[in-house]
Each structure stands twice: as C-alpha cells, then as structure tokens.
Amino acid sequence: MYDLRNNLQAKSGSVSDVLATLPSVNVDPEGKVSVRGASVDVLVDGKPSAALRGNLVVALQSIAADTIDRIEVITDPGPEFRSNAAALINIITKKTKVPELKGDLTLNAGPHGRRNGSFSGSVGVDKWVFSGTASLRQDIRYDIQDTDLTALGAAGSTDSRRVARRGTFVPYTNAAASLDARYAATDHDSFDLGAEGALRYRPRRYLESATRTDTTGDVTGDSVIHDAANQHFNHYSVTGDYVRKGLAGGDTLTLKATHEQLETTRGSTDVEDFLNPPAPQEIYRQPHDERERIDTVSGDYVLPLPRGAQLKLGFDAQFDRDRTSHSASGSNDAGGGAAVGLATRFHLDQTLAAAYADYQRPLGTWTVKAGLRLETQRSDFQQDTDLRSGDRDDVQWSPSLSLSRDLTPDSTLSFNYRRRIERPSTDQLNPLPTVVGSVIGMGNPDLKPGRVQSLDARYSYAATPVDFSATLYARTLSDQVIGYDYTPVAGATTLVSSYENAGSGSTEGLDISLDLHLSSAWTVNLSSDLSHVRQTAPIDGIDYTGSVLTHETKLGLTWTPDADDSFQVKGQLRGRSLAAGGSRSGYGALNLAYGHDFSPRLKLVASVNDVLNTVRYTEVVDTTQYRERWTMTVPGQVFYVGLSYKLGALGPAK
C-alpha cells in the first residue's frame, strides 16, 4: 500500500506518472503497465471502473494523480477479484466518510500549454455524506521513432528494405468528474449512490518520411505521410451499493450494481506524397466508432466464525455489449475517385458469471487462507465482412492458498500459491483492421484466456527506522496471449500486428524493497526486481524462444531540512526485456520535485520529470520473414509548478 499524501509528483502528474515510481511496477515509455513482468488489471476502489475500460494507457495518462489517496499493488489476488490478469493495482480515491466539510484544490502549469487542476471534497448533512471530485488535464505526449525493416526471401536474402523516421505529437484534454452520496439509514444499514464520467480528446498527429530500396539497394520510392487522427474516449457510469452490518453478529453483507457506457470515436486521415519517383498524392481515411454497454451485479457476505476463523462468499455477474463499426476509403489524388473501399462491423456480446469462497483461520502459529473462484464466460461475436459468426463458452477455476505467521512483533513470513487466468481484452478480440503507417493492427476473436500459476515466499520487517521486504517468486504461463508482427506477403515491408494463444514461458525472480529513515530529515527508498524470463512466441508457424536476465531498479531520496520544505529525487533504471522474436534494450529516468508549505493549508510544488531526457530504447527482431530494428526516443522532460490548498477541516481523510 503506497500513500500518495507525501508524494510530491502526485500533485502534478498523472496516475501513469506515479505508478512508474512504485516498487514492482513497470510503466514503459508507451504507457503499458506490468507488475514483476506480469499482466495487470487496474481497479478503482476495489472494483472495475468505467474510467479504466477501453484504452487503459490513455486512461492512466489522463487521470490526475491528485484525486488519488493511495495505490495498492496486489501480487497475490484472492478469489474475490476477477481473474483478468496475474496481478492487480487498486487505485483508492480520495473519499471521506466523516461529516466535516473538507476539500483539496490543486492547480499546476507547465510549458507548451501543459496545465491541470483538480478538486476533491466532501460535506455531511444529517445522515448524508456527499463527496466528489473534478479534474481537468491538458498535456502533451510525443516521440520519435526510427525504423529499419528488411524483408527476407526464402533463402534469407534481402527482398526489400524500408527506412523511416516518424515524429508523433499527441496533445490531449481530459475532463472528469465524480459524485458520491452515502446515506447511513441505521447503525447497521447504509446506501451509496455514485456517478462518474469523463471526456477525453486526443488529436494525434504524426509526420513520417520513408525510403524504400530493392534487392540491389536502388531506391524504389521516397514518400512523406501526414497523419491526423481526432480521437475521443468518453465514458460515464452509475453505481449503487447497499451494506448491511450485524445481520448475524459481526457479519457484513454488500450488494452492488453498476451501469457503464463507453464511446470511442477515431477519424484518421493519412495523406501520402510520393517524392521519388513522383506520383499522385494518396489520401486514406479510416472512420472508427465503438459503443460499449456494461451492466454488472455483485455481492459478498463476510461471516466471522469461532476460533478466529472467517468465511467470505460472493458472486459476480457482468453483461457486456460491444458494437464497433470501421470503414476505410482511399483516393489516388486530392480529388480523384475511390481506389479502395471497406466497411465492416464487429459485434461482441459477453456474459460472465462467477462465484467464489474464501476461508481463513489460525492454525497454531500460522494463519491459513484458502480460496476458490469459478468463472464462466460466454462470448458471441459476428463480423459482417465475411459473414463470420461464432460463440464460445469458457469455464475457469482459480484456486489460491496462503500460509503466514508472525516471526516476531516486527516481522512476518508468508507463502502463497495461486492460479489465475489472463482474459483477452476487447481490443485484442476485435478483428477489424486499423492502419497506422506501415502497420496493420487487428485482433483475433478466437483468443481464449491464458493461464498463470504463481508461487512466492515473502519476508517482511517493519520497525523504526527500517521497513524491508523480500519476495522470491516463480511464475509459469501457458496459452498466453502474445502480440506479434508478421509480413502479409513475401517481401513486403508492411507488417500485420495481431495476437495468438501460443505463448508460453516462465519467470523466476527476487523482489526487494527497503525504506530507510536515516534521520528526521532523510529518507531513502530502494527497490529492485531481479528476474530471469523465458518466453516462446510464434511467428509464421515457427516458435521463437528467448530468455533474458533483467531488473527493474528504483531509488528515491527525500530530504526535509525543516518543517516547511521537502525535496524528492526519484530515479529508475530498467534492464532488457523480451519481444516476440527479439528483445528490447533498457532505459532510465530521473525525476526531481520540491515542496514548500506556506501554511497548513497552502503548499507550493515544483517538479521536473525525466530531467536528463534519457528515455530512449531500441528493439531488435530477427525472424525468417524480416529483420527489424527500431529506436524510440521519448522526450519526457516536463516541468510543472503548482499550488494546492486545503479547505475545511485539516484532519486526514478516513
């Protein structure tokens, strides 16, 4: 559990920025999140949230971290959590359950039009407690990608080569708000009604210059592509909770229902100018529209038992309806007739039902916790391009077992086993092709869940001035959903990006974390995840196997010279990682922040992300179809200065 109240970067950054500083968590320069190299499902206040559905990368980069109270990294999820991924991250928002008037207001500004602001507050009226948040964030993401791709012939000879440089610029605006009303009907009964929504606008722009050569190295074409894509990712949801305590002693009954709606629209236009040899300009348009409706009902019952035991029972049901339409058209000059035309629809209906049980009790000096979750999901899909349709029923069991004991009042030892599944996302299932430059992205509706089995042993010690933990872990994966690229036809320098259930692998590692309070003025935070990863991925019918010894190391220093000032330095260094058919180099980053308290209510915060502009990495892939080397440079040096102000009562939120 990581408290963000003293994290200066949380005052100006996004949730994605803060996650990148936490032990065990990796956020790559493209925004993808993993924990100890494993897939992650992100929750809000312990439940799936409409704010994080769809494009998770976009959501995490858009949500203001100042609306977050704590972040919980769960590496051993119990049966009460849905089996969507190997690990969980739980974002706990700022919500107070006390009647005093409270509020937090934060405003930040940076160069190039970057600015953000957030407000969270609550007030009580009789038996009601009202709380809410509102945030507006305007930011910029941009990168430069250099690609060298060689298409290979049957004997490994060079068929053609494409060298390109692309600069991508994505300014975005995210406006979000939430409102929650809690009513304490009696000492035993309470009702909670909440609503949230967000409007996200990300107008992507990129410019790509490419040169193509033939087998002899002669230039066959020079072209420049101008891309413009107006992207909207919007959502809203309504949630109702009922909690009954003391129905049969110290038990608790919780029921919850949620309705969510998500709307995604993208309209990209590519204009390609052919310079050598000269040719008519080509214009390619791709309107994309997606509407998703999700209804969820869940409940759990917690019953204390004799001898310190506890039983928890629960259920979960979800109904998901996704309607996607996509079309593509092109012309051979600015006013010419259509050269290509494509209109497609993809309908996906998914029904998930789950039940679980969790039992724990003391057993001598040990505490035993055992859980079992049963999930069944039915998927029905229909695609109109080839009149394809299908359905699939899937039943999965997810057992978990934990043994723990207190060695001393300050130290604990635990052993955990769990079997989880990794369900494919809607984007991974959607087969409609989307063209971005020289890559055609498409999902696979035949994907099934991958399976993950994990075993770990953890030792923790917490006493002033040291907080230390070390975890030995091992993980195996089968039927893993692997993303990979392949050439659509022999000799092509265009790649198709898709997914298969053919991945397998294993990971063994040691994850350590140390918080050391050297004095009242100095605190050191050090974490390192050392791991050995093996992975198999298919490309063109051939299984490519790779292995790597890697690490994820983070160091944080906090200096508080007096009661009103604090300085923070946070650095991270990541080692090599595997890619389908190749590997990716590591990278590092350094962040600085300064905070000054003018009063107990007013605080100044200044921060600089990626001070040295060092986020740069190279990926190399070598298969029988192609060889590719691309380098991504992400200029991430971002400066913010801002003020935060506390309204009402100054006590901590509960």
Side-chain angles (χ1 to χ4, degrees):
M1 185 73 74
Y2 301 100
D3 194 324
L4 301 189
R5 283 178 295 180
N6 296 320
N7 188 317
L8 297 180
Q9 193 166 12
K11 297 296 182 183
S12 59
S14 66
V15 173
S16 183
D17 295 330
V18 173
L19 286 175
T21 68
L22 301 184
S24 305
V25 181
N26 174 255
V27 181
D28 71 17
E30 298 172 65
K32 298 176 182 177
V33 183
S34 61
V35 171
R36 294 179 183 167
S39 62
V40 172
D41 193 19
V42 184
L43 310 176
V44 175
D45 296 325
K47 298 292 183 181
S49 170
L52 300 175
R53 297 194 190 272
N55 193 318
L56 180 61
V57 170
V58 170
L60 295 177
Q61 291 176 347
S62 302
I63 298 175
D66 195 48
T67 61
I68 307 303
D69 186 53
R70 304 183 308 279
I71 294 178
E72 184 180 13
V73 180
I74 307 173
T75 55
D76 56 343
E80 66 269 30
F81 295 110
R82 191 172 298 174
S83 292
N84 285 343
L88 298 176
I89 292 176
N90 185 26
I91 296 172
I92 302 172
T93 58
K94 289 181 177 178
K95 287 184 180 179
T96 181
K97 301 298 184 183
V98 295
E100 292 91 350
L101 173 66
K102 293 173 64 70
D104 288 280
L105 175 65
T106 301
L107 299 173
N108 294 282
H112 309 296
R114 289 186 170 97
R115 52 185 175 266
N116 62 73
S118 66
F119 173 79
S120 60
S122 65
V123 63
V125 180
D126 195 20
K127 292 186 176 183
W128 291 88
V129 175
F130 300 93
S131 61
T133 63
S135 64
L136 176 65
R137 185 175 185 84
Q138 292 182 307
D139 208 337
I140 301 170
R141 302 276 169 170
Y142 60 99
D143 59 64
I144 300 170
Q145 181 174 324
D146 294 288
T147 304
D148 187 339
L149 187 145
T150 300
L152 304 177
S157 59
T158 298
D159 273 6
S160 58
R161 184 183 178 195
R162 182 178 184 274
V163 178
R165 162 164 278 209
R166 176 195 296 177
T168 304
F169 178 78
V170 186
Y172 64 85
T173 301
N174 176 69
S178 68
L179 181 64
D180 183 85
R182 182 176 183 268
Y183 177 67
T186 69
D187 292 339
H188 302 283
D189 300 275
S190 63
F191 298 86
D192 203 300
L193 182 64
E196 65 177 44
L199 303 175
R200 298 191 181 105
Y201 176 50
R202 296 171 64 97
R204 183 194 71 209
R205 305 286 185 268
Y206 74 71
L207 175 66
E208 181 178 81
S209 301
T211 299
R212 298 172 181 82
T213 56
D214 58 17
T215 56
T216 63
D218 293 333
V219 175
T220 58
D222 280 326
S223 66
V224 176
I225 298 177
H226 297 263
D227 168 89
N230 294 321
Q231 306 177 97
H232 297 264
F233 305 90
N234 304 327
H235 82 268
Y236 76 83
S237 67
V238 179
T239 301
D241 287 13
Y242 168 69
V243 178
R244 168 73 180 185
K245 295 183 178 180
L247 187 66
D251 62 332
T252 302
L253 172 68
T254 304
L255 299 173
K256 182 172 184 176
T258 303
H259 173 73
E260 307 172 34
Q261 294 197 182
L262 299 93
E263 299 179 356
T264 300
T265 58
R266 301 193 296 265
S268 64
T269 300
D270 288 359
V271 178
E272 186 169 12
D273 294 300
F274 298 92
L275 308 179
N276 180 28
Q281 183 183 71
E282 287 190 358
I283 302 176
Y284 190 66
R285 298 180 177 87
Q286 298 179 95
H288 180 99
D289 183 89
E290 183 175 356
R291 300 286 187 272
E292 190 171 8
R293 306 291 183 267
I294 303 173
D295 294 299
T296 305
V297 179
S298 62
D300 61 61
Y301 180 66
V302 181
L303 177 65
L305 298 173
R307 299 190 180 94
Q310 177 181 283
L311 176 65
K312 184 174 183 178
L313 304 173
F315 73 93
D316 191 3
Q318 178 175 295
F319 311 92
D320 187 349
R321 302 170 298 282
D322 189 285
R323 302 291 181 264
T324 304
S325 62
H326 181 85
S327 62
S329 62
S331 59
N332 55 12
D333 56 49
V340 296
L342 176 68
T344 56
R345 292 180 301 166
F346 179 66
H347 292 176
L348 176 65
D349 293 329
Q350 292 184 317
T351 302
L352 181 142
Y356 62 85
D358 184 73
Y359 176 76
Q360 67 178 53
R361 62 160 298 174
L363 190 62
T365 58
W366 294 84
T367 297
V368 181
K369 186 175 181 179
L372 182 64
R373 181 180 181 91
L374 169 64
E375 278 189 1
T376 175
Q377 179 171 283
R378 178 177 176 83
S379 301
D380 298 282
F381 66 89
Q382 184 174 5
Q383 182 183 354
D384 68 357
T385 52
D386 56 5
L387 301 179
R388 182 186 185 193
S389 63
D391 62 80
R392 183 175 68 247
D393 288 313
D394 177 64
V395 179
Q396 297 288 342
W397 296 85
S398 297
S400 60
L401 178 65
S402 173
L403 296 173
S404 63
R405 64 167 296 181
D406 293 332
L407 300 177
T408 69
D410 301 322
S411 60
T412 302
L413 178 66
S414 64
F415 301 91
N416 300 283
Y417 166 79
R418 60 204 169 274
R419 180 186 186 273
R420 301 273 293 175
I421 58 175
E422 298 182 343
R423 292 197 181 276
S425 66
T426 301
D427 286 343
Q428 292 172 334
L429 293 169
N430 191 335
L432 302 187
T434 302
V435 180
V436 180
S438 60
V439 178
I440 304 171
M442 55 197 312
N444 178 1
D446 295 327
L447 291 175
K448 59 184 179 181
R451 298 186 300 277
V452 184
Q453 295 197 79
S454 302
L455 183 67
D456 65 60
R458 183 175 188 268
Y459 170 79
S460 62
Y461 175 84
T464 305
V466 176
D467 192 334
F468 172 78
S469 68
T471 304
L472 280 169
Y473 65 91
R475 182 174 61 245
T476 61
L477 306 98
S478 56
D479 290 330
Q480 186 184 15
V481 177
I482 288 289
Y484 69 102
D485 298 339
Y486 63 92
T487 56
V489 295
T493 53
T494 298
L495 295 178
V496 176
S497 179
S498 190
Y499 305 90
E500 290 289 346
N501 267 121
S504 62
S506 63
T507 303
E508 300 84 29
L510 172 63
D511 190 359
I512 59 174
S513 178
L514 172 67
D515 291 344
L516 182 60
H517 302 276
L518 298 176
S519 67
S520 60
W522 286 94
T523 301
V524 178
N525 313 103
L526 174 65
S527 67
S528 187
D529 178 19
L530 311 172
S531 60
H532 181 249
V533 183
R534 292 183 296 275
Q535 186 181 74
T536 299
I539 300 177
D540 194 31
I542 297 176
D543 287 339
Y544 288 84
T545 300
S547 65
V548 64
L549 181 63
T550 188
H551 71 97
E552 175 87 15
T553 302
K554 299 177 182 180
L555 176 64
L557 297 174
T558 300
W559 179 41
T560 310
D562 53 58
D564 297 328
D565 296 281
S566 59
F567 298 84
Q568 287 184 350
V569 180
K570 293 183 179 293
Q572 61 172 310
L573 186 63
R574 189 187 185 193
R576 292 175 56 236
S577 57
L578 294 178
S583 65
R584 178 181 291 186
S585 66
Y587 56 88
L590 181 68
N591 301 337
L592 302 177
Y594 166 70
H596 175 73
D597 292 336
F598 292 108
S599 72
R601 295 187 182 276
L602 183 63
K603 186 182 187 71
L604 167 73
V605 175
S607 62
V608 185
N609 287 2
D610 192 16
V611 177
L612 304 177
N613 253 338
T614 53
V615 178
R616 183 178 185 271
Y617 61 94
T618 299
E619 182 170 302
V620 178
V621 176
D622 192 353
T623 75
T624 57
Q625 290 188 326
Y626 67 94
R627 287 194 299 266
E628 183 182 33
R629 178 185 177 91
W630 60 268
T631 299
M632 178 78 78
T633 303
V634 185
Q637 192 179 78
V638 179
F639 173 75
Y640 275 111
V641 61
L643 295 170
S644 63
Y645 185 78
K646 292 183 178 295
L647 296 84
L650 292 175
K654 297 182 180 178

